[in-house]
Amino acid sequence: MTLLSLLEKKWLRQAASSPAHFQSLLRRRRKGEPLQYIIGTQPFGPLNLRVRPPILIPRPETEHWAIQLADRIQNRPRRTLLDLGTGSGCISLLLTHLCPALSAHAVDVNPAAVELANENALLCSIDRFQAFQADFLHQDFPSHPSLSPPYDILVSNPPYIPLAEYLTLSDDVKKYEDPRALLGGNSGLDFYHAIARLAVRERFLSPDAIIALEVGHNQADAVSAILQSAKLRTDVWPDPWGIPRTIFAYR
Ligand SMILES: C[S@@+](CC[C@H](N)C(=O)[O-])C[C@H]1O[C@@H](n2cnc3c(N)ncnc32)[C@H](O)[C@@H]1O
């Protein structure tokens, strides 16, 4: 049974419509359901995003690098962005919200994620964002007629957990969050190889494009090497806990 903090109880009380409803929310939380799924929202920078299972709940480390990236691109002229594996839409919605000259396309293999991301765009009154269903591992990607490379900015928080590590995750994560959002193949690196292949494809990215990719806690060296073998230069950004978390790449 999950032990609840006073703060969690306060948030659940605020979300409840009656004392009986509050008791039912408490029961769900005590059984291990993530607080954000029960309340239905998660703050992400200045945005308050809708969340629902099994779409990944946006994480604080992702929010941290997305804000850092916004600082870098804020004053650039009009730019286009592609978000691979958008989930709730959090990264590209925050970037388009903070950078008025940016317009974003986002893709996800899961239609429920696409629906949620587009719903969040509407909720946040962001009209420079569109999400589409597409599989970026597929060799025909981006076959969707609305996707229009070359893009100036490529962002992704792809599934990166290696199979062996996935099996050790807490039951709460495995029970509620989509394995397709988490599992990055046996090594955890499958999606980074796919992104590197896209980066070198002719006219997929503009010549001065930049790429920002979130990585797992011990993957920074391996992912930097994958991108360097695609003739990209790389920097590593730490997260607020000092863990190398984001690979920033450029030509
Ligand atoms: C780690 S989650 C990240 C979600 C969101 N960007 C975030 O940071 O919270 C990865 C996302 O990639 C999507 N995904 C997995 N495989 C995919 C594929 N082959 N093509 C497109 N999206 C994929 C999953 O459905 C999931 O929403």
Side-chain angles (χ1 to χ4, degrees):
M1 185 147 85
T2 306
L3 280 177
L4 304 192
S5 69
L6 283 175
L7 205 53
E8 280 190 84
K9 284 187 183 157
K10 182 178 144 196
W11 287 326
L12 290 172
R13 191 172 287 111
Q14 281 169 353
S17 53
S18 65
H21 187 209
F22 174 54
Q23 289 308 320
S24 83
L25 299 186
L26 276 180
R27 274 194 296 278
R28 284 168 62 187
R29 182 68 194 111
R30 288 200 174 109
K31 282 187 189 156
E33 186 171 345
L35 182 72
Q36 294 89 335
Y37 284 154
I38 300 175
I39 292 176
T41 57
Q42 165 72 24
F44 198 74
L47 304 178
N48 199 27
L49 298 176
R50 193 167 282 171
V51 291
R52 54 176 171 256
I55 312 307
L56 195 90
I57 298 165
R59 305 293 205 260
E61 53 270 33
T62 309
E63 179 186 43
H64 179 259
W65 71 255
I67 290 174
Q68 217 176 332
L69 180 63
D71 279 347
R72 285 221 172 192
I73 61 178
Q74 213 149 36
N75 297 321
R76 292 188 174 208
R78 201 180 146 63
R79 304 252 96 181
T80 59
L81 174 143
L82 179 64
D83 178 7
L84 298 173
T86 196
S88 61
C90 55
I91 299 169
S92 37
L93 285 172
L94 181 63
L95 289 167
T96 39
H97 175 77
L98 295 177
C99 308
L102 200 63
S103 57
H105 284 160
V107 300
D108 205 289
V109 74
N110 183 349
V114 174
E115 192 182 331
L116 181 63
N118 282 325
E119 207 173 299
N120 273 323
L122 214 64
L123 214 72
C124 301
S125 308
I126 297 172
D127 59 4
R128 289 167 285 111
F129 171 97
Q130 271 184 294
F132 307 98
Q133 188 188 6
D135 176 351
F136 73 88
L137 293 183
H138 198 279
Q139 57 181 18
D140 286 344
F141 181 80
S143 58
H144 196 290
S146 299
L147 295 173
S148 49
Y151 290 96
D152 306 312
I153 301 165
L154 180 67
V155 293
S156 185
N157 173 18
Y160 55 61
I161 299 181
L163 181 60
E165 194 178 322
Y166 178 79
L167 299 174
T168 70
L169 292 181
S170 76
D171 285 346
D172 295 355
V173 173
K174 282 190 288 192
K175 188 166 162 197
Y176 292 100
E177 294 189 301
D178 186 359
R180 277 183 305 180
L182 299 166
L183 259 171
N186 280 337
S187 67
L189 300 172
D190 287 5
F191 288 83
Y192 301 105
H193 286 290
I195 292 170
R197 285 194 293 273
L198 286 172
V200 293
R201 195 187 284 173
E202 206 165 327
R203 286 191 50 75
F204 187 74
L205 295 178
S206 52
D208 62 345
I210 55 173
I211 300 174
L213 305 179
E214 181 168 321
V215 299
H217 60 93
N218 52 8
Q219 294 174 330
D221 288 346
V223 175
S224 297
I226 291 170
L227 294 175
Q228 285 159 11
S229 66
K231 303 263 180 298
L232 292 159
R233 289 187 281 170
T234 57
D235 296 333
V236 179
W237 295 350
D239 70 15
W241 301 273
I243 296 169
R245 182 60 70 188
T246 308
I247 310 300
F248 180 75
Y250 48 99
R251 289 206 175 94

